[in-house]
Amino acid sequence: MPFELPDLPYSYGSLEPHFDAKTMEIHHTKHHAGYTAKLNAALDNTDLKGQSIEEILKNLNLDNKPLRNNAGGYYNHNLFWQILRPPTGSENVPSGDLLNEINKKFGSFDSFKNTFSNTAATVFGSGWAWLCSSNKGELCICSSPNQDNPLMPGVGCNCTPILGLDVWEHAYYLNYQNRRPDYISAFFNLINWDTVAKRRESLLED
Ligand code: MN
């Protein structure tokens, strides 16, 4: 079975005013759809067909640029859509074990937010900022260029992404033009912390 473009769990306009509907629609139906189609093309006539996207990324030959760019683009956007949700109007912060671990690692949620935001703001050109977790639940922040991600061998902090922020201009240019820091700030209103916490919990070993 080829990889399929997933539906979004919310409507294109439901992330406004932080992410606008037109950007969301183009991002999903053009960019993510493009990575999906090119991923399937890159897998055609290879013995990698049938593997999960995670298996493909973990065993990736980084010299295979079409597969690297499009397997990354496919996985990264799947994750990005999942960890967003419409704004609630109230303060948007994590809770429970995830918040405890953030406090332990970064000192406070504000300190985490500053470090993550600076990491995202200083990605040169196109790329992603990540919050990752080990299988012991330890957190780390890193970034990667282009459509790379920390599941790929030797990329980023070598843990599993539980939160990702797309800082390609296609993710924000219509609404924010060159103001990437404003887009990063807006992102914090849209994070689905329940999903992020579940992703971390799913990694924990017994
Ligand atoms: Mn994107």
Side-chain angles (χ1 to χ4, degrees):
M1 278 292 287
F3 287 102
E4 290 181 356
L5 181 69
D7 291 331
L8 299 193
Y10 36 74
S11 68
Y12 293 129
S14 63
L15 305 184
E16 292 196 353
H18 306 293
F19 291 3
D20 66 282
K22 194 69 183 169
T23 296
M24 288 299 297
E25 182 182 355
I26 295 170
H27 204 169
H28 182 237
T29 63
K30 304 297 181 193
H31 294 280
H32 196 186
Y35 295 121
T36 307
K38 289 175 188 168
L39 167 61
N40 288 324
L43 291 172
D44 226 13
N45 300 317
T46 74
D47 57 7
L48 300 172
K49 272 203 254 186
Q51 291 190 10
S52 70
I53 190 65
E54 289 85 0
E55 285 177 299
I56 289 169
L57 291 168
K58 285 176 182 174
N59 298 305
L60 185 70
N61 171 3
L62 295 176
D63 292 331
N64 185 340
K65 291 291 171 57
L67 186 58
R68 178 178 182 170
N69 290 336
N70 294 295
Y74 179 75
Y75 174 91
N76 295 348
H77 290 86
N78 281 1
L79 170 60
F80 190 44
W81 309 138
Q82 284 171 24
I83 57 89
L84 298 173
R85 56 129 188 74
T88 62
S90 55
E91 197 186 15
N92 189 32
V93 292
S95 60
D97 288 348
L98 177 60
L99 180 60
N100 291 340
E101 196 62 32
I102 285 173
N103 288 337
K104 192 168 125 190
K105 176 77 184 186
F106 303 102
S108 67
F109 178 73
D110 283 346
S111 174
F112 155 76
K113 188 174 171 180
N114 282 337
T115 303
F116 185 91
S117 297
N118 286 335
T119 300
T122 54
V123 172
F124 182 74
S126 299
W128 291 74
W130 306 103
L131 174 65
C132 299
S133 174
S134 74
N135 54 17
K136 294 186 171 62
E138 293 162 357
L139 301 173
C140 62
I141 290 172
C142 60
S143 64
S144 58
N146 305 313
Q147 294 296 350
D148 286 0
N149 69 51
L151 292 181
M152 296 176 181
V155 171
C157 47
N158 251 326
C159 283
T160 303
I162 58 171
L163 171 73
L165 175 58
D166 187 344
V167 295
W168 283 58
E169 281 189 346
H170 70 225
Y172 63 87
Y173 202 82
L174 284 182
N175 202 21
Y176 294 100
Q177 292 83 49
N178 60 315
R179 302 188 310 278
R180 189 192 286 180
D182 291 350
Y183 160 75
I184 295 167
S185 177
F187 167 69
F188 274 87
N189 295 301
L190 301 175
I191 297 171
N192 188 333
W193 284 112
D194 288 341
T195 301
V196 177
K198 282 186 189 125
R199 289 183 64 85
R200 176 175 167 273
E201 278 158 29
S202 75
L203 300 170
L204 297 178
E205 293 173 334
D206 294 332

